[in-house]
């Protein structure tokens, strides 16, 4: 089966645009996926040594298989470029299918490209650099797009150097790491990355997926993709607990962490449990000098797609109120992946006033410092 056929959905293109009853305010889409049309598309940005290595090794792609081709979650209809290639690989299609009909002010792009799964650290560093230079040359010239710096987390020192190389450019607003990392993201060997990100005013984006090599669940490997997808929330919870407990968010107070595509409906009870146990065990981590929930509200943000809305959608608003802050949720579509049939379901039902304005764009403009440009 050709790659384009594998991704193709037989459905007609649905109505996929900004809902008419949303206020005319800035709309910032905090999770838009872009991917190289082929591994050869990265060759102009790779040194000759690594071009030869890819050819001689027979590597065909590092594209994420987070969404199995043909799965209903994979991609919205019509997102496969007419000339072939995977969804999210054509800048013109992104403009006509997403940015124009949604009236997007800014979209933050995430290229989830499997660099973290490479065991050869030199190759991983070269691929991360190539992906970043490819993004910059071929996508980020679109003024509505801002990019995320892909890093090889398996080599934190050189990952930090990559953040240094690109962090001063306006095109990039975030450092991107996968939620399924080799070790918990709070641990100190990662801190050079966070130091560089904070210095350049970049957020740390942690996105669903990753090939860190650990089982998908704390009790071993599950049997089904459904289990894996639901279990992603546990990985986000583990990373959040690590980032707070290790003191990252105290040590780097200007750093903002954005948890992308991991949901948020689990957060209020996690904060309750975290606060309660911190009170009893805080001597173990004396650098965490205030309630974990306070630190989370200050420093962590959550993209809202996919929305874990119950059958009675009004109940989700109760969860939003339990967060205790209007600043934590960020609008996202997760384009080109399909998580909702009706665009109205891309915002918590009943959100209104300042909370809605913050959700649609204001919160993201703050966290990505887009008003300062
Ligand atoms: Zn996503």
């Amino acid at each position: 089966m050709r790659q384009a056929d594998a991704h193709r959905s037989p459905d007609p293109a649905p109505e996929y645009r900004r809902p008419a009853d949303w206020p005319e305010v800035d709309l910032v889409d905090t999770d838009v996926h872009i991917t190289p049309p082929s591994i050869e598309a990265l060759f102009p940005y790779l040194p000759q040594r690594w071009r030869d290595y890819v050819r001689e090794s027979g590597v065909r792609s590092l594209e994420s298989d987070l969404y199995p081709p043909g799965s209903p979650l994979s991609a919205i209809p019509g997102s496969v470029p007419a000339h072939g290639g995977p969804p999210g690989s054509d800048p013109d299609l992104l403009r006509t299918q997403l940015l124009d009909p949604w009236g997007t002010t800014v979209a933050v792009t995430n290229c989830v490209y499997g660099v973290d799964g490479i065991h050869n650290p030199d190759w991983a560093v070269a691929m991360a650099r190539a992906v970043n230079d490819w993004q910059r040359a071929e996508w980020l010239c679109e003024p509505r797009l801002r990019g995320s710096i892909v890093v090889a987390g398996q080599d934190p020192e050189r990952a930090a150097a990559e953040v240094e190389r690109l962090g001063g450019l306006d095109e990039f607003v975030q450092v991107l790491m996968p939620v399924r990392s080799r070790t918990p993201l709070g641990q100190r060997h990662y801190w050079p990355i966070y130091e560089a990100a904070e210095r350049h005013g970049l957020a740390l984006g942690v996105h669903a997926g990753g090939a860190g090599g650990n089982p998908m669940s704390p009790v071993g490997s599950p049997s089904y993709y459904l289990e894996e997808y639901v279990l992603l929330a546990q990985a986000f919870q583990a990373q959040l607990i690590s980032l707070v407990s290790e003191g990252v968010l105290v040590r780097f107070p200007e750093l903002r962490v954005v948890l992308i595509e991991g949901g948020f409906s689990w957060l209020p009870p996690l904060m309750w449990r975290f606060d309660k146990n911190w009170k009893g065990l805080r001597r173990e981590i004396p650098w965490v000098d205030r309630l974990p929930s306070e630190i989370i509200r200050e420093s962590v943000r959550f993209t809202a797609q996919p929305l874990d809305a119950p059958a009675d959608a009004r109940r989700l608003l109760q969860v939003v109120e339990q967060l205790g802050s209007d600043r934590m949720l960020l609008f996202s579509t997760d384009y080109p992946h399909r998580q909702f049939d009706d665009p109205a379901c891309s915002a918590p039902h009943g959100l209104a006033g300042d909370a809605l304005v913050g959700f649609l764009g204001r919160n993201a403009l703050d966290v990505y410092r887009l008003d300062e440009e």
Side-chain angles (χ1 to χ4, degrees):
M1 185 182 287
R2 290 188 304 119
Q3 189 177 31
D5 292 335
H7 285 284
R8 183 163 290 132
S9 163
D11 300 338
E15 190 75 6
Y16 185 75
R17 57 178 57 249
R18 181 182 183 129
D21 58 348
W22 283 8
E24 287 297 319
V25 295
D26 284 323
L27 186 71
V28 181
D29 190 338
T30 55
D31 188 20
V32 172
H33 288 276
I34 60 173
T35 194
S38 66
I39 201 163
E40 289 80 10
L42 299 177
F43 280 6
Y45 312 100
L46 267 181
Q48 183 67 47
R49 173 192 174 192
W50 296 113
R51 293 201 296 269
D52 293 344
Y53 182 89
V54 168
R55 283 198 195 96
E56 290 162 11
S57 307
V59 176
R60 295 177 59 86
S61 174
L62 296 180
E63 192 191 357
S64 163
D65 60 356
L66 186 59
Y67 298 82
S71 159
L73 288 173
S74 282
I76 64 169
S79 61
V80 176
H83 46 76
S89 62
D90 182 341
D92 287 333
L93 199 50
L94 180 81
R95 286 186 194 95
T96 56
Q97 197 166 37
L98 181 75
L99 301 179
D100 294 343
W102 283 81
T104 309
T105 309
V106 174
V108 179
T109 60
N110 293 314
C111 182
V112 179
Y113 195 60
V115 169
D116 61 300
I118 298 175
H119 289 274
N120 177 334
D122 300 324
W123 183 32
V125 167
M127 290 302 287
R129 190 180 172 106
V131 168
N132 292 330
D133 288 342
W134 164 82
Q135 292 187 69
R136 193 172 173 224
E138 306 200 17
W139 289 84
L140 301 180
C141 43
E142 159 60 54
R144 288 169 289 184
L145 298 183
R146 296 292 184 284
S148 301
I149 300 172
V150 173
V151 294
Q154 52 271 64
D155 189 335
E157 290 291 342
R158 285 194 284 176
E162 182 68 353
V163 177
E164 280 296 336
R165 184 174 76 91
L166 299 170
L169 301 171
D170 287 343
E171 293 104 307
F172 291 101
V173 295
Q174 179 165 259
V175 177
L176 185 65
M177 298 184 76
V179 73
R180 290 208 170 107
S181 52
R182 285 170 165 73
T183 55
L185 287 176
Q187 293 184 352
R188 291 170 202 191
H189 51 272
Y190 292 117
W191 287 16
I193 300 172
Y194 309 148
E195 188 178 356
E198 185 186 51
R199 184 164 49 251
H200 289 291
L202 303 168
L204 168 66
V206 180
H207 192 280
N214 294 307
M216 299 293 180
S217 91
V219 293
S221 296
S223 304
Y224 303 106
Y225 176 61
L226 169 64
E227 293 177 84
E228 177 186 336
Y229 200 78
V230 175
L231 284 164
L232 273 169
Q234 290 188 350
F236 281 95
Q237 292 165 23
Q239 299 293 16
L240 183 59
I241 292 168
S242 172
L243 287 162
V244 173
S245 301
E246 297 272 359
V248 170
L249 304 176
V250 174
R251 174 68 176 260
F252 305 106
E254 301 302 317
L255 181 69
R256 294 292 174 267
V257 176
V258 183
L259 301 186
I260 308 167
E261 207 181 318
F264 66 88
S265 58
W266 44 264
L267 182 60
L270 182 138
M271 290 197 292
W272 302 336
R273 183 178 175 88
F274 205 174
D275 283 355
K276 176 178 183 293
N277 289 294
W278 172 81
K279 290 173 184 171
L281 296 168
R282 53 188 288 188
R283 282 187 199 153
E284 191 185 14
I285 50 171
W287 45 84
V288 179
D289 55 1
R290 54 197 189 279
L291 288 169
S293 62
E294 287 181 34
I295 295 172
I296 292 168
R297 287 191 188 98
E298 181 66 27
S299 298
V300 187
R301 304 291 180 264
F302 298 78
T303 73
Q305 202 56 236
L307 205 59
D308 300 333
D312 180 353
R314 291 168 300 181
R315 290 193 171 177
L316 190 63
L317 208 55
Q318 296 171 349
V319 177
V320 174
E321 288 165 0
Q322 288 166 359
L323 294 176
S325 168
D326 282 346
R327 300 167 58 202
M328 299 175 77
L329 299 183
L330 311 177
F331 167 74
S332 63
T333 58
D334 197 29
Y335 177 90
H337 302 139
R338 180 162 70 176
Q339 310 285 8
F340 51 87
D341 293 325
D342 181 352
C345 298
S346 56
H349 182 82
L351 204 64
D354 286 347
L356 179 60
V357 172
F359 170 76
L360 294 178
R362 180 78 257 159
N363 296 343
L365 292 173
D366 286 345
V367 77
Y368 291 118
R369 302 174 191 223
L370 291 163
D371 273 353
E372 297 174 14
E373 290 182 2

